[in-house]
Every structure is written in structure tokens, then in C-alpha cells.
Amino acid sequence: MKYTITKDPHEDERVQKIIEISGQNIFSCYQCGRCSSGCPMAEFMDVLPNQVFMFLQEGDVDTLLNAKTPWICAACFTCTVRCPVGLDLAAVMEAIRELQLRKNYDYVDPYKVEEREELPPIAMVSNFRKFTP
Amino acid sequence: MAMKRIGVFICHCGRNIAGTVDVKRVAEEIGKREDVAFSTTYVFMCSQPGQKLIEDSIKKYNLDGVVVANCSPTLHEKTMRNAAARAGLNPYRVEIANIREWAAWPHEDNPEAATRKAIRIINATIEKLKANASLEPIEVPVTRRVLVIGGGVAGMQAALDIADSGIETILVEKEPSIGGNMFRLSETFPTLDCPQCILTPKMNDVGGHPNIKLYTYSEVEDVEGFMGNFKVKIKKKATYVDWDKCTGCGECLRVCPAHVDSEFDLKMAKRTSIYIANEQAVPLKALIDENSCIRLQFEKKVKEGKIKPKKNVKICSKCADVCEPNAIHFQNNEEIVEEEVGSIIVATGYEVMPAEAFPELGGKYPDVITALQFERLLAPSGPTAGIPRRPSDGKIPKSIAFVHCVGSRDPQNGVPYCSRICCMYTIKQAMLVKHALHDAAVYDFYIDIRSNGKGYEEFYHRAKEEYGVNFIRGKVSKVYKVGDKYRVQGVDTLTGRIVEVDVDMVVLATAAKGSSTVKELAKKLRIPYDEWGWLKETHLKLKPLETPVGGVFIAGAAQFIKDITDSVSQGSGAAAKAMALLSKPQLEKEPLLAKVDPEICAGCGRCKDQCAYDAITIDPIRHVSVVNEALCEGCGACSANCPTTAIQVVNFKKGQVVRAVDVLAEVF
């Protein structure tokens, strides 16, 4: 595994976008790991919550967009409550999902869903909102 | 006169002793001795009621000797001797029997054996005590002057504090100007003041202080004597310029045709052969570097007969031609001066390992430099006026990588310790790059960020949150050239993958070591140092400023690398130690020293060879050993090596020690 930094991560447009959507200065994370140690879903994640910040600080948004972690996040806010520098990781996770969603990543044609008559409406709504691979 | 009325005081030390040793039984057993007039126990002998018990008993039983059985004598020997002195007993008639470290603690599992051992230790101590003589402290005269070696921030602070108290101070600095490494810095963490602003007032104070005698471009040549009375030879190196006449105008610098690397700018700039250390140098005086001066080199070769000068040849004297006060005389004016002082403070500072020592990290490339060199590129007074430029081509870098722990925490390739200041100055330099070059990308490769000072962690967070510095956790393995750039190959241990980045410049935070000349100096002063060139303190926690040589103190980074705050504090601390020493008209010294019996001594000189303090000389007329009481530390090395027992340490005479050993060595 190798990653080459090609430009200053601070100047990366997608990192800037995530900062803008979440309202969080992701560069203030100093990697204590408390978000990961307290996360009830961490054991199911492929990228640990604290690593989410590290990938962002290195400008590696692609890895995060392809990771399962943002979709496994239950948005329970445990990390947000515990963060020593007051970062809202749940908001950052949402921003990553948002970045993906805005690409129509979860596009589902409702008309093509079989058994759509039998599905509860909430299942359809959540399908639009949060895609779970 | 052997003692006959000895008092024995056995301490419980809470449960430390009494929990294992049956103290009551010990007191009873010892009390049976004929020469013991009184024996008792108490819960804490070192407490005030405990000391009162000793005082009262001395008076009540008219005791002529005291044994206190408690902890190690390094802790409370002085306490107990003072208590005895208050009751009118000579303090050297008090001995400590260490039954805590020697009996109670090592034999916790066997109280019976511990008790018997305690009894035996006390019996042995009584045997030793019985032949003790009453002694008076030795008085040594004092020279009320202090020598400070090293004109960095610690040395300057020490010199100023002592001089302010009215004591004459001599400051010796090997460079042409005082200021030390601090004056090379661009700005200082965590407040970002520039040394040109905060250090120059101190430098000028030192330069103009009526009680400070300043010897710059000088080195300590030789040290003789002892606490309170040192004789120091100082070598004033040749400047080839009359400093009494030189006004520091700098005209000569403009005309000198010879150029060499500047020591002050750490090879980041050139200077002329006749030079002034820096623009704010104290003293602001010019000097000629004999190794690069065209005229001096020519004269040297003529003198050695390597060349024969043609008649009427005109050799460069451009500097002397423009010198209005006629200060430049080209004469070797090296001089040795002697000074007498009562105390010496060593503040010789630190050096950093050169980048060249780390070729795998690119140290062989011109654009891979040490952090101290980079300070000069960031300094507004430096060769690039504060805008960093690549040393190779003068281009302004668009990206810079900083590498922490280069040689530090790396016993295989450097030093085993953490160099303490690198984390903070690297963060500071990263910030200053952002100040100077707003759009430069800054990468900071660290293993741990160690920001353990007032305002330091906050400073680190500012760099992260506000300045846009990229921190990557993992040590860089190599730096190599790719085109015009340098590829930094590191790792991000937090995400677990290799990280590569191409940058224009690399700054290595190389390990700090003691000053390269400090070992020579330490040998002259007879003070210990470690393999990295740090001077050794007497006790790391409780005597960090003292050395085993009385009257010699250490301050600042000479002891171990430290930041400005700590260096200044230690400078003031060492000054206080020196002032306390010189506050009395005479010094008192423990009289437990070696004494020679001239009737027996054959003058063989074996004791002289063993003495680590140079305290013994052989009287050439009587041909016997003579001990200098002021120098002798009473270690006993001479006594152990004397073939005739002619030289012995007072109150540790052969009979005393042998009788004590006899008691201890009886079959158990």
C-alpha cells in the first residue's frame, strides 16, 4: 500500500468541500483515537473513524469514498461527544456520504425495484437517503 | 580516648524498620554493652521530637558518643550531627548505623535474621565510633569572583545575575561574539519573539556591565586550584586587529577580497576573511581569520620558506588601507591572561549533528539542511532576509518537508535520547515558512509530538488548525533526488501505508549533542561528562547544577539539551549557587580528610598517583606526602593504596575500620 501526495491536502478541492459541508476543520484532529475506541460500529468498519481524519489530512478522499465506513456509521454521535478537540466526526461522515450521494452514487430507479408494492415506504426513503452496500 | 558513655538511638522509621526488625530487642541487646550508657527506640528519629530525644539524652546521661540506627547516612547523618551539636557534643562523635537499607529492607522475609543483623551492624558501628576524634570544620579562604564559561543565553544570564549582586564576573566565550546558538534563531517558540529583539538587550547589558569582564574569542587554557580559590589561564586567540582601536564600522569588510563560509550563518552564507561575527555582535569588533587572509597566508608561507618574495611585491592590505583608526596591524596578538576566581559556571551549550551524517535522508544534497541552518534562512537578519531560498540555486521553495527525530531516539545511528527541543522548533519553523511563503506546502514527518511546556501544546494545535501544516506520523526512511525535486519516502503509521511526497527542500531536525570542545574543558575542570558530551550533574533531580568538584556548577544545555526557558532558569540557578558559595568570607569544609603521618611516610608517591583531585604533592625536601586540605575530598583512595598506612582518612583509620569489619564478619 502506497500513497503519493501530489498537492498540499489543504488545497484539495474535495477536502475543502468536506470541510464546507461538515463545518469541521478536519486538520485539528491530532489522532488520539478516542473516536475509534468508543465507536459501537468500529468493529464492522474497514477504515477506523480516526483514520478517516488521517486520510482526509493526507488529501486521500478516494479511499474514503470507496470505503464501507461512512455507510456503517450509525450517526450515534458517540465520537462527537467524546472528541477532545470538539470535532463532530458524525458530521464529517455525513459530508463524505453527501459527496458520494451527490454523484448519484445511490441512484435507484423506483420503477425498476421489484416487489416495490410490498416494501414499506420507509425502506424506499432510506434507500434514497443512505445507501448500504 | 575511647568512648565509654555511648548512647544508641534506634529508629522505627514507621514500619520500615520496626515492621521487620524487633527494635525493642535490639535496644535491649545493645544496652547490655558496658560502653553503652543508654539505648532506646523511637518511631521517627528524624522528627523534631526524635532529635529532641537525642539532645536531652546527651545532656541527661552525659554521653560522649552517639550511634543512631536508622536509614542511610546520605539522608540523615547531617540531621543527627546537628542535633548532637546543639546538645554540646562534637558532631563527629555521631555515627549512623544503616539498619533500614542493610537489615530491614533486604530481609523482610526473615525478621529473626534481620534483627540479628541489625544488632551486629550497630555493634560494628560502635566499634568504629569509639576511636572517633572530635573535629572542627576546616576553613578555606574565598576569592569573591566568578568565571562563567560560555556566552550563550544561560551563561549570560548567570553572569548578569552574579554581576548585579556586586560580584565581579569573568565571561569567556570562544566565538568572537556572545549570544550563542540562541542568537542564530529566527524566532522563538511558543511566543514567536525574535532573538534579535529579546536577546540583544541582554547582550548589551553584558557588554557594558561594570562588573563583567568579557573575553570573547577566548578559551580556557588551564584550571588550577580548588573551591573558593581557582586559578584560570585564559587564551585570547589572535585577532590581528587592535580591539581597543577598532570601532566596528565595517569598512574593512567591504574591501576584503577573500571569502569563506560564515560560521555564524552555518555555511548558509559567505563572509570575508576580515569579519565581524554578525551585525549586532557584542563586542562589535573586526577580526582576521588567518586561514583565509591572503596577506597572512602569504606571510606564513614566506616564514616557512615555501615561497621567496620578490622585491617590491605589494601584498593585499586593503583592509588596513581603509581602516581610519589604524586598528589592523596583522600582528599575532594571541595572549594568555590569568584570572583568580572562587567559583566557575560552565555553560558551554550544545551542537546539532550535521546533515551529512545522514546520507540516506539526503544529507549529501545541498537543499537538505539541518534545522539550525534553516533558522538562518528564516531569520530576518539572515542571508536570505527571512524568505527561505534553496541553497543550491536560490529558488524560493514551493514545498518543504521537515523530518523529526533524525538521529534522536536512534541509538543505532545517532543518540538514544530524545533531543527535546526539535518537536517545538520544527513546528515553529513550519509556521514561519507559512508566514514567509503563504502558498508553500509544508509536510511534517514526526514519530511523536512532544510538546511538554507552558503554551507548547497550544502552539502545536495552532500550527495544525490555523497554519495549514500537514503532520504525518511516521519516520522517513529515505530522501532522494528526482529531477529538480527531492522525493521523501515516509510512512503513515496511522493509516498503515507508505507515503511519498516530492518537495523542493528538506529540513532535518538532527540530534543535539554537547559542545564538541566540552570534553577537553571538562578534563581541565576534572568534572565528569557522558559519551554524548553532556556534563554530568551530581544528582539528576536534587543537584542538577552541581558537579562533584566543589565550586564548579553547570548551567543550560551543557548539562543536557534544553529550551531557552529552562536554560535561563538554570543560568539564574547556577548564579545563585555561586553567590551562596561566595557569600561568606571563608568556606567551611568537612574535616573528614586524608592526613599523613610524616614519621612513617616514605614518600613513595603511590597516594599521589591515586588521587583524583590532585590534592597530594610530595614535599621535595622532607620527601613525604603533603595533603592540600582544600582539595582533598576524603575519598580514601590514597589510604587504601598506602603500603605503610602513613596516609589515613580521619575517623576512618585502619584500626577503626578493621575492628568494625571484625564484628561484621564473625560467624553468624
Side-chain angles (χ1 to χ4, degrees), chain A residues 94-107:
Chain A
E94 174 62 14
I96 297 166
R97 290 193 293 264
E98 196 66 34
L99 218 61
Q100 194 72 314
L101 292 169
R102 287 179 188 182
K103 292 196 292 188
N104 254 350
Y105 176 66
D106 64 339
Y107 179 74

Side-chain angles (χ1 to χ4, degrees), chain B residues 204-223:
Chain B
N204 289 326
D205 284 355
V206 169
H209 203 294
N211 286 334
I212 296 181
K213 205 168 175 183
L214 185 58
Y215 290 111
T216 55
Y217 207 52
S218 301
E219 279 176 46
V220 171
E221 189 78 353
D222 187 37
V223 180

